[in-house]
Amino acid sequence: MAVRAVRGAVQLERDEAGHMDEQVGALLTAVLERNELTADDLISIWFTATPDLHSDFPAAAARKLGIVDVPLICAQELDIEGAMPRVVRVLAHVESDRSRADIAHVYLGAAAALRRDIAQ
C-alpha cells in the first residue's frame, strides 16, 4: 500500500463554530468517500485556515466525525491580499492502493476555483 496525499478546501459562508464543523465535516466526508477511504487509512491531516477564521479549530470537526486517533494539526494560511476569504484547506496523508492520478482532490463550493486543475 502506498502513502498518498489528498488535497481539499471549502469556503465558509461565515465564521461560526457550528458552520465550520458542518462545512469541514462535509469536506472530510467527501475526501473519504471519493477516495474510498476509512479513518483507518488516515496517517495525518494538516488543516489551514485563512486569517479571518477565529471561531474554532478546523480539526475539531474531524474529532466530531470520529477521527480520534489520527494526528491532526492546524495552521494559519498566509495573509495574501486578494486571496479568497474564509477558506479551510486540508492536506491528508493516507494509505491507498490508488495511483496518484486516481486520487480525488475535493474542493467544495466556491473553493473549486482555487485549484481547477485538480478539483474533482
Side-chain angles (χ1 to χ4, degrees):
M1 192 143 331
V3 173
R4 299 287 182 226
V6 185
R7 291 287 318 268
V10 64
Q11 183 183 39
L12 306 184
E13 294 175 17
R14 58 194 174 279
D15 183 23
E16 294 174 2
H19 181 62
M20 182 179 292
D21 283 346
E22 175 186 297
Q23 294 299 303
V24 174
L27 175 61
L28 291 173
T29 298
V31 165
L32 293 173
E33 288 176 356
R34 293 183 193 179
N35 289 286
E36 299 177 336
L37 299 167
T38 68
D40 287 339
D41 299 316
L42 296 170
I43 297 169
S44 64
I45 305 175
W46 282 81
F47 295 88
T48 64
T50 51
D52 51 2
L53 293 175
H54 308 278
S55 62
D56 203 356
F57 294 99
R63 299 291 184 223
K64 290 176 183 169
L65 285 178
I67 301 172
V68 295
D69 62 350
V70 175
L72 309 175
I73 192 165
C74 297
Q76 188 176 64
E77 278 289 329
L78 295 173
D79 190 9
I80 304 298
E81 187 174 329
M84 184 179 288
R86 300 177 316 281
V87 174
V88 174
R89 292 172 173 86
V90 300
L91 175 62
H93 300 97
V94 303
E95 291 180 321
S96 175
D97 288 329
R98 289 181 177 221
S99 69
R100 285 185 185 169
D102 290 333
I103 293 293
H105 304 282
V106 180
Y107 290 78
L108 300 179
L114 295 171
R115 290 297 306 266
R116 293 194 189 281
D117 57 325
I118 64 172
Q120 298 180 5

